[in-house]
Structure formats: C-alpha cells, structure tokens
Amino acid sequence: MDAGRGMCVISYQHKGLLEATKKVLPYVEHRQCARHIYADFRKIYSGIELRNLFWKAAKSTVEGGFKNHMDEIRQISPGAYEHLMAREPNTWCRAFFSTGLACDTVENGKAECFNAVILDSRKKLLLTMLEEIRVYMMDRFYNLRELAEKWEGDVCPSAIKKMEEFGEDLKFWRVHPNGQNEFEVRNGLESYGNITISAQRSMDFKMFHIIVDKL
C-alpha cells in the first residue's frame, strides 16, 4: 500500500488505532469522523441551528467558508465554538483535506453500514464468517450491476442529481474580473476572492480536486 501514500483513514480518536496506523501507514492522511464529532458536540450544545451550522462547516471546501460558519457558531455560543476548534478541524473539514485522494468523505457511514450488515456473521467461526461476507458481496455486486443496466446514460442517477444540485447553487453566484487574470466570485454578501485562471483556463476549485484528481 506504499506506506499509505494517496490514502486516507477515517476513525474517531482511537489512540491505539492512530498509533498503529502511524507505524503501518506513516504517510496516510488521517481524518476524524464528523458524525462522531457532532454526536459528542450535541450532548453539550444541542439545537437545529447549531447542527446545521456544524455540517455546513464540516462540508465547506474552502477555508473562508469554514471560518464564516464557525463565526456564526461563535455568535450563538462561544463555548460551542471553542469545543469544535479544540477537535482539530483540519481532520474533519473538507477545506483542509488533501487533494488527489478522490475522497470527499467527512464521516465513515459506509463502514458503519457494512459493519451493521455483517454483525451476525462476525459472531461465527472465521471461515463461516468469511463465506457469508463473500456471498453477501457477490449478491450486492450483482444487484448493483442489474440496477446499472437500467441507467439511461453512462453516469449514475445519484451523481447526476448531485451535479444538478451544484448547478442550482451556482446560478446565484456572479464572477467579477479585476482585469489581471484574477476574479472574485460573489453570492450576496458571501464571496471568494483571488481566484486565478491559468493559461490553460482551469480554475482551482478545491471540491473538484478533492474528488477528481485521483480518478
């Protein structure tokens, strides 16, 4: 696995796991599960507004967006702000993730779903457990392949839906050039400045690089 280069591991403050990972995969990017971060946060600071702001902060793809949402949290509750900032935001916010990993995940829900599916199998003898997992995965791959056969194009419907959602949001943004190959992108009072377009006309969008660079 090349000592973890080009990989990320998502866990939740398990010190033993972190130390073991450092030894086996010294170059892996470690992320914390945002869902677990929020679960602890909610025990002290509850409320729909704080919940929504937390997830907006966690899913921000630029540092400015993260800071804006965290400032809103601080205005509501300084204690909530300090609580989250003490949890190493660089490990659970997209704005700080490395590019080139083709992974924008902020929580390990997929792993938890898989663990829930194999819960009964895990209680059995090793060979029986592995055989049940093998059959489950074989059935799942078959069912997904059958589902893909019904697609109207080459792109899965969930990806198309996500791109349509991006498009709905993008239509409210406006680009303002400064005449020196730099631009400011604004949506009302929210803005991102100093976006540079190179000679190849490619823009440095963090979300694009987080997801696509490795593909």
Side-chain angles (χ1 to χ4, degrees):
M1 292 189 287
D2 196 21
R5 291 181 178 86
M7 298 175 60
C8 69
V9 171
I10 304 176
S11 65
Y12 177 61
Q13 297 179 336
H14 297 294
K15 293 184 178 180
L17 179 60
L18 294 180
E19 292 303 318
T21 301
K22 289 178 182 178
K23 292 180 180 179
V24 180
L25 304 170
Y27 297 104
V28 77
E29 175 174 295
H30 175 251
R31 300 178 186 175
Q32 293 190 82
C33 176
R35 190 174 299 279
H36 286 93
I37 296 288
Y38 176 71
D40 285 346
F41 175 75
R42 184 178 58 183
K43 294 175 183 177
I44 308 172
Y45 305 99
S46 59
I48 295 177
E49 189 172 11
L50 284 175
R51 180 195 67 188
N52 292 340
L53 286 172
F54 168 82
W55 285 110
K56 286 181 179 179
K59 295 181 179 180
S60 296
T61 56
V62 292
E63 192 171 346
F66 169 76
K67 289 181 178 179
N68 288 341
H69 296 311
M70 291 303 297
D71 284 342
E72 292 183 67
I73 291 176
R74 179 163 50 185
Q75 292 174 10
I76 297 172
S77 171
Y81 172 86
E82 296 296 335
H83 176 95
L84 292 175
M85 293 303 293
R87 266 66 183 176
E88 300 179 279
N90 61 302
T91 63
W92 51 265
C93 172
R94 282 177 181 160
F96 305 102
F97 291 173
S98 298
T99 58
L101 300 181
C103 179
D104 67 335
T105 304
V106 297
E107 43 89 18
N108 56 4
K110 293 180 181 178
E112 292 181 2
C113 287
F114 180 72
N115 285 336
V117 168
I118 66 172
L119 186 61
D120 290 335
S121 298
R122 290 169 59 184
K123 301 175 184 177
K124 300 177 182 179
L125 296 175
L126 179 61
L127 291 179
T128 303
M129 178 191 74
L130 293 176
E131 182 65 11
E132 290 188 359
I133 293 175
R134 183 189 69 81
V135 173
Y136 165 76
M137 294 304 299
M138 182 172 63
D139 289 341
R140 179 167 174 77
F141 288 150
Y142 172 79
N143 291 332
L144 290 175
R145 191 176 295 111
E146 287 287 294
L147 185 63
E149 292 292 334
K150 300 177 183 179
W151 294 353
E152 296 182 358
D154 295 329
V155 182
C156 68
S158 60
I160 294 175
K161 181 180 178 181
K162 193 166 188 177
M163 293 305 298
E164 289 175 347
E165 290 173 355
F166 283 156
E168 284 296 312
D169 181 59
L170 288 174
K171 69 182 181 182
F172 298 109
W173 291 82
R174 296 292 180 269
V175 179
H176 303 274
N178 70 358
Q180 298 180 352
N181 208 33
E182 292 185 347
F183 301 79
E184 181 173 333
V185 185
R186 300 190 62 88
N187 178 8
L189 297 177
E190 190 174 2
S191 69
Y192 299 104
N194 297 324
I195 297 176
T196 303
I197 297 185
S198 67
Q200 289 77 29
R201 311 294 292 176
S202 62
M203 296 187 71
D204 184 20
F205 285 121
K206 182 70 176 287
M207 186 64 173
F208 176 84
H209 290 295
I210 288 175
I211 299 175
V212 177
D213 274 2
K214 189 75 174 181
L215 301 180

